[in-house]
Amino acid sequence: MRIALKIAYVGTGYHGSQVQPDVATIEGELFNALTQLEIIEDPKSARFSSSGRTDAGVHAREQVVAFNTDKPNLAIPRVINSKLPNSIWAWSYAEVPDDFDPRRWAVSRKYRYIMSGEQYDISKIRAASKILVGEHDFANFCSKDEDKSTVRNVERIDVRVSGTLTKIDIQANSFLWNMVRKIVSALTMVGSGVRDEEWLNQMLDPESYEEGLEPAAAYGLTLMEVEYPQPIEWCEDGYAIRRANENVHDYLVRHRVMAEVMDHLVPKE
């Protein structure tokens, strides 16, 4: 039987989602849990695949993975989470077709970037974001990955203010390596007045204009959602979600305290 899971994680402290030798990764922790529970023997024989990779320090609310197992009764979030660190948790599962590939079947992905917005002109960022919507060549907004096409269709970009924070939601058919973080960098450059909309239009014409961009910091980025053409009958695990809420609450308390601590470390003038 082929099982799909929705996985969430705090990416801080991990070298990305894709398994790598000798470093901590999201997939590495997940493989350990699945093999310890004997849900799979190994990723290759189980035809393990994911909806995509996230870079070091990037988080996810809804990373989708799939694998084959002959123990579907154990392949449920509350069981799998018993072998995962608190920074990673499964929260929903589904039985899917034997040929289901979470990456190739996906038709859309949504990311959210959260940043401090106090130093930017939000109206300029909103106006600039409209230029990036649609099908464009995003070669200037990615880290080159072999000879893959750099044309992507950005379906929507929503920018909203929440207190002192700015949240940027970007949805596209698929994303290039570092594409979201470089888009955020470009938007903040326009929002701070360093660049203008004419420059942004030039950036979308890589054949005549080329410029490198530093990606925005990884800690502000979260993979929010992956959409598929046919609805999947997901079963949410209430117990797993409650435990995840408890873990997230602990993170919130610790970081709120640390924010106050950091504020006291520098002597006031």
Side-chain angles (χ1 to χ4, degrees):
M1 183 179 294
R2 190 155 180 81
I3 298 294
L5 296 173
K6 288 183 179 181
I7 306 290
Y9 47 85
V10 180
T12 307
Y14 292 98
H15 291 257
S17 61
Q18 194 171 45
V19 67
Q20 302 175 53
D22 304 321
V23 294
T25 65
I26 303 300
E27 285 186 353
E29 296 289 351
L30 190 55
F31 293 164
N32 287 339
L34 294 174
T35 54
Q36 283 183 45
L37 293 164
E38 298 183 347
I39 294 172
I40 66 172
E41 289 187 7
D42 61 81
K44 186 175 181 180
S45 64
R47 291 176 46 232
F48 181 95
S49 59
S50 69
S51 59
R53 66 185 183 188
T54 55
D55 291 336
V58 175
H59 322 290
R61 185 185 73 174
E62 192 175 303
Q63 174 75 275
V64 179
V65 303
F67 52 86
N68 294 348
T69 181
D70 57 4
K71 296 181 179 178
N73 59 312
L74 294 179
I76 59 176
R78 66 183 65 190
V79 175
I80 295 169
N81 291 347
S82 68
K83 298 296 184 181
L84 287 173
N86 288 342
S87 52
I88 307 171
W89 58 92
W91 58 276
S92 189
Y93 65 104
E95 181 180 342
V96 291
D98 290 341
D99 60 344
F100 175 71
D101 185 313
R103 182 176 67 84
R104 290 186 172 87
W105 283 33
V107 295
S108 183
R109 295 164 176 84
K110 177 181 174 183
Y111 280 87
R112 174 171 294 166
Y113 196 91
I114 302 176
M115 64 184 185
S116 174
E118 295 175 296
Q119 67 269 46
Y120 303 115
D121 185 328
I122 300 303
S123 63
K124 286 185 177 180
I125 289 180
R126 287 195 174 112
S129 69
K130 292 180 172 59
I131 296 172
L132 299 174
V133 174
E135 187 173 271
H136 302 286
D137 188 338
F138 286 94
N140 281 324
F141 297 85
C142 71
S143 298
K144 299 295 174 63
D145 189 5
E146 300 175 352
D147 297 323
K148 294 180 180 178
S149 170
T150 50
V151 175
R152 292 294 185 274
N153 180 33
V154 173
E155 298 160 4
R156 55 185 291 193
I157 301 179
D158 294 325
V159 182
R160 70 182 190 277
V161 177
S162 178
T164 60
L165 298 175
T166 296
K167 299 179 180 180
I168 302 177
D169 289 342
I170 305 179
Q171 183 171 323
N173 60 332
S174 65
F175 289 91
L176 299 160
W177 186 17
N178 283 336
M179 178 174 161
V180 177
R181 291 162 58 196
K182 291 197 175 193
I183 284 177
V184 170
S185 290
L187 292 177
T188 56
M189 289 168 73
V190 175
S192 63
V194 174
R195 298 288 190 175
D196 56 19
E197 291 186 13
E198 182 180 352
W199 167 79
L200 196 59
N201 277 303
Q202 285 182 308
M203 290 288 284
L204 291 174
D205 186 13
E207 289 190 5
S208 60
Y209 184 84
E210 185 175 343
E211 181 177 337
L213 283 173
E214 283 294 321
Y219 66 81
L221 183 61
T222 302
L223 171 60
M224 297 294 291
E225 188 177 351
V226 183
E227 293 184 358
Y228 295 94
Q230 298 178 350
I232 297 173
E233 295 184 9
W234 294 103
C235 179
E236 294 187 358
D237 189 321
Y239 175 78
I241 292 173
R242 286 193 298 273
R243 288 300 304 272
N245 281 327
E246 293 171 3
N247 292 338
V248 168
H249 177 74
D250 290 342
Y251 272 104
L252 287 172
V253 170
R254 185 162 68 252
H255 283 81
R256 283 169 181 160
V257 171
M258 280 303 300
E260 190 70 15
V261 169
M262 296 299 288
D263 189 54
H264 285 86
L265 290 180
V266 180
K268 303 301 180 183
E269 293 183 359

